[in-house]
Amino acid sequence: MFGKIFFYTSALFLLFSLENGYSSIKNAEYLYIKGRGNVKHFTRIAKNLVKEKYYFSSVPLLKEALLYNKGKRSESFDKLLDIVIGKVGIRQFESLPYKVLMKSKTPYTRYIIARKLFRMKWYEKALNILDLGKIKNDHPIKPYSLMLKGSIFSLKGNYEKAIKNFRECVKSSESRLNSVDDKKEKRQLLINRDSCLLGVSRSYFGKKDYEKSSFYYLDIDKSSYIWPEILFEEAWSSFYQKKFNRTLGKLVTYQAPVFDHIFNPEVNVLEALTYLEMCLWEDSKKAVDRFYSTYEKPLEKVRNMLERFGKKYKTYYLLAKRMLDGKMSGDKVLNKMFFSIIKDPAFLEMYDSFYKGGIELNRIKSISKSKFKSFLMSNIRESLILQRNLIGAYFRKSIDFYLNLISKNLSDMSYIKLEVLSRLRKEILSDDDQSSLERKRGDIKYLRRNEKQYFWSFNREFWADELGDYVFALRSECKK
């Protein structure tokens, strides 16, 4: 009797194992052999691969299923697609044509389509896509869809709706944060939440309510991934309010060692412009000269590199990987530029996904040699090559952005220098008294502060709790 019970128990255990583990990959292999590469079996193969967590290997199959099957996909297909996109990231599917993506109703594909339309500046169509069906509050893409909607309304100048969506985005991100354990997903959600807080500030800035804009910047903690970016925007906000000493104080924070990875040439431009507005001609001219001596030669190096490598995305990926491995280029400006890119949240997200794909590749390598293994290897290599090229393309695009930015900044600095010379000439011609050009440097009496702000002399040491709170005490030399 006990022997029979043991036999039945063993049989049930074996059946359970086949249904829930080892059988999934075997079922996938069976469907592959049976189907002889027919697309109609790809969805079922992918479903079995997903059960075994072969997400990247299933990507080409799901793409093929979307491409070659006519009409809209079933609800079960959408659920499967939703799982896979959630694991491998949206960028694997962004290359698919608009019409192909429209075959699916999953929230992820709607978000991908909306992003594509957003980049094409078709804002109304992007909003329509996001509103096609309500994305459930507990769906992983919900916080990001609200961020996108807020950004669209902001660009359209509808700041009230932008603020509403950004605030909903903050709540959605925080709600999602409480339900996830993965550190990398938490990082993305924190960045999204803080970006939406920043969106609120930017919307008030767009409304030209600079006081409120400055107030809402304070909602973002100094430990935030995006806080260094906020400093620059706060500096501009102070500039527009003609609080020039506060602008300079924000900008000097970028000299702190903790910001060594931040690459933003526009900081120097705003510094020169602020000195110009305060009629501190020599300071403005020095800022311009420093900019030229710092960026002119590296600019040529970047231009030559882009011309030499063209669109060889693998080369850019390898360059990024060298930086990740701590191998520097030899040029301080280029090192800072490249380091800034590899620290970018979007870059890190893509690289994390690539790393996960590498783990999956090693799992496939351990499978016994067969035609199906070769099929899986082909699939995952296709996904990983695409991911590698996406990383390389992003790295190249970022370099190209900085190239254009520096070129523009050089032009801006030329204008500032000419303006300095022009204004200084007018001042000299209008007043023969050279003593008017003499000035006393920083003095506390030129410092505007309220009862909650205290004065401490700065001795070139940066303290974490003080970062972003520095204010200069320079007297404007502009004549009334």
Side-chain angles (χ1 to χ4, degrees):
M1 178 180 176
F2 289 108
K4 288 182 179 179
I5 292 172
F6 177 76
F7 172 76
Y8 289 138
T9 305
S10 300
L12 286 169
F13 178 76
L14 179 62
L15 181 62
F16 179 81
S17 299
L18 287 170
E19 286 295 320
N20 293 278
Y22 184 68
S23 68
S24 296
I25 198 75
K26 283 294 180 184
N27 283 343
E29 185 173 10
Y30 168 75
L31 290 167
Y32 168 72
I33 294 167
K34 179 186 175 183
R36 296 180 181 179
N38 195 313
V39 176
K40 71 178 183 180
H41 293 288
F42 279 8
T43 302
R44 291 174 66 194
I45 294 171
K47 186 177 181 180
N48 281 280
L49 290 175
V50 168
K51 284 181 182 178
E52 287 288 295
K53 299 182 180 180
Y54 289 104
Y55 302 114
F56 284 87
S57 304
S58 69
V59 168
L61 301 175
L62 294 175
K63 285 181 178 178
E64 291 289 323
L66 271 173
L67 279 164
Y68 293 106
N69 283 287
K70 295 180 180 179
K72 293 183 178 179
R73 307 301 299 143
S74 66
E75 188 177 338
S76 61
F77 177 86
D78 277 350
K79 285 181 179 178
L80 181 64
L81 187 62
D82 216 44
I83 292 168
V84 173
I85 296 176
K87 295 295 182 180
V88 305
I90 62 171
R91 295 176 191 272
Q92 281 281 333
F93 291 84
E94 279 189 326
S95 59
L96 290 175
Y98 173 87
K99 288 183 179 179
V100 173
L101 289 167
M102 283 297 290
K103 292 179 182 179
S104 170
K105 293 181 179 179
T106 172
Y108 274 121
T109 51
R110 288 215 307 276
Y111 178 71
I112 292 169
I113 294 166
R115 270 171 55 103
K116 288 165 79 80
L117 293 169
F118 175 79
R119 286 196 291 267
M120 295 164 71
K121 298 183 180 180
W122 292 353
Y123 301 133
E124 281 299 328
K125 286 186 177 181
L127 287 172
N128 291 337
I129 289 294
L130 289 171
D131 291 335
L132 271 178
K134 184 175 173 61
I135 298 175
K136 292 181 179 179
N137 289 333
D138 61 349
H139 194 280
I141 205 64
K142 180 68 174 183
Y144 304 98
S145 67
L146 288 167
M147 169 66 178
L148 183 57
K149 286 182 76 172
S151 300
I152 292 170
F153 282 123
S154 183
L155 286 169
K156 284 167 61 67
N158 193 335
Y159 297 116
E160 290 303 323
K161 282 191 176 180
I163 290 167
K164 179 178 178 291
N165 277 276
F166 283 135
R167 284 177 173 161
E168 286 181 16
C169 165
V170 172
K171 290 179 183 177
S172 180
S173 298
E174 288 177 343
S175 175
R176 180 78 185 157
L177 272 166
N178 295 326
S179 63
V180 298
D181 297 318
D182 184 76
K183 287 183 179 179
K184 289 170 183 176
E185 188 176 353
K186 278 184 177 291
R187 181 189 69 201
Q188 291 169 12
L189 284 164
L190 284 169
I191 292 168
N192 192 67
R193 181 200 66 186
D194 292 346
S195 296
C196 286
L197 285 170
L198 179 57
V200 174
S201 295
R202 284 174 173 171
S203 297
Y204 280 115
F205 190 89
K207 292 176 72 175
K208 298 184 179 179
D209 190 340
Y210 304 126
E211 288 287 346
K212 232 173 190 178
S213 176
S214 296
F215 176 77
Y216 279 99
Y217 279 127
L218 300 175
D219 286 342
I220 302 169
D221 195 84
K222 289 182 181 181
S223 62
S224 170
Y225 289 95
I226 67 167
W227 189 69
E229 179 184 347
I230 292 164
L231 268 177
F232 185 63
E233 296 194 13
E234 283 187 294
W236 267 114
S237 181
S238 296
F239 180 86
Y240 278 107
Q241 295 174 70
K242 299 189 183 300
K243 297 177 181 177
F244 300 125
N245 276 313
R246 193 164 292 278
T247 297
L248 293 170
K250 296 290 181 187
L251 298 179
V252 79
T253 306
Y254 285 102
Q255 296 179 25
V258 71
F259 291 129
D260 277 348
H261 67 287
I262 302 298
F263 185 80
N264 185 359
E266 289 191 303
V267 167
N268 307 97
V269 178
L270 182 53
E271 179 192 13
L273 190 60
T274 304
Y275 283 130
L276 175 67
E277 289 301 309
M278 296 178 77
C279 303
L280 300 175
W281 317 122
E282 193 60 32
D283 295 286
S284 186
K285 184 176 176 297
K286 282 180 180 178
V288 172
D289 292 340
R290 276 198 307 272
F291 188 88
Y292 269 90
S293 63
T294 302
Y295 291 106
E296 258 192 317
K297 288 182 180 178
L299 180 68
E300 285 306 308
K301 288 182 181 179
V302 171
R303 187 176 284 117
N304 292 336
M305 182 181 69
L306 290 174
E307 288 177 1
R308 186 167 74 252
F309 295 153
K311 292 189 177 181
K312 296 176 182 177
Y313 298 132
K314 182 180 177 180
T315 303
Y316 292 105
Y317 162 77
L318 292 172
L319 182 58
K321 191 174 184 304
R322 280 178 59 84
M323 291 299 297
L324 285 165
D325 293 339
K327 297 172 183 176
M328 303 299 177
S329 70
D331 185 292
K332 286 184 179 180
V333 173
L334 294 188
N335 282 337
K336 194 165 187 175
M337 180 193 293
F338 297 160
F339 198 63
S340 178
I341 298 169
I342 65 171
K343 285 287 184 180
D344 182 85
F347 178 91
L348 290 172
E349 182 187 345
M350 286 188 285
Y351 199 84
D352 289 343
S353 183
F354 186 68
Y355 179 78
K356 288 177 184 175
I359 294 172
E360 186 176 316
L361 174 63
N362 289 331
R363 287 179 63 205
I364 293 171
K365 285 179 179 178
S366 67
I367 296 174
S368 300
K369 188 177 181 181
S370 65
K371 286 185 177 179
F372 184 63
K373 178 183 178 179
S374 299
F375 172 70
L376 290 180
M377 289 293 287
S378 175
N379 278 2
I380 195 162
R381 279 176 177 153
E382 180 182 329
S383 294
L384 290 181
I385 287 170
L386 173 60
Q387 192 70 19
R388 181 199 69 195
N389 288 342
L390 286 169
I391 293 168
Y394 186 85
F395 196 75
R396 185 196 185 281
K397 184 180 178 182
S398 299
I399 294 171
D400 189 53
F401 168 78
Y402 284 131
L403 172 71
N404 293 323
L405 181 63
I406 295 170
S407 297
K408 177 184 175 297
N409 292 160
L410 284 168
S411 177
D412 293 338
M413 286 299 209
S414 295
Y415 165 78
I416 291 171
K417 191 169 185 177
L418 288 172
E419 190 67 17
V420 166
L421 295 172
S422 174
R423 292 191 191 183
L424 181 58
R425 181 174 177 273
K426 286 179 182 178
E427 186 174 288
I428 292 170
L429 290 174
S430 65
D431 191 348
D432 292 331
D433 183 7
Q434 293 299 309
S435 63
S436 66
L437 298 179
E438 296 175 3
R439 64 178 185 265
K440 182 180 178 181
R441 298 300 284 176
D443 194 313
I444 190 173
K445 69 181 181 181
Y446 305 125
L447 187 64
R448 292 164 61 185
R449 57 195 174 99
N450 59 41
E451 68 277 5
K452 292 186 178 181
Q453 294 173 325
Y454 301 92
F455 176 80
W456 299 90
S457 295
F458 179 59
N459 60 0
R460 306 301 298 176
E461 290 182 354
F462 293 93
W463 296 86
D465 61 335
E466 297 174 352
L467 293 176
D469 297 325
Y470 304 114
V471 182
F472 278 40
L474 297 174
R475 175 169 65 92
S476 173
E477 293 294 314
C478 298
K479 295 182 178 180
K480 303 294 184 184

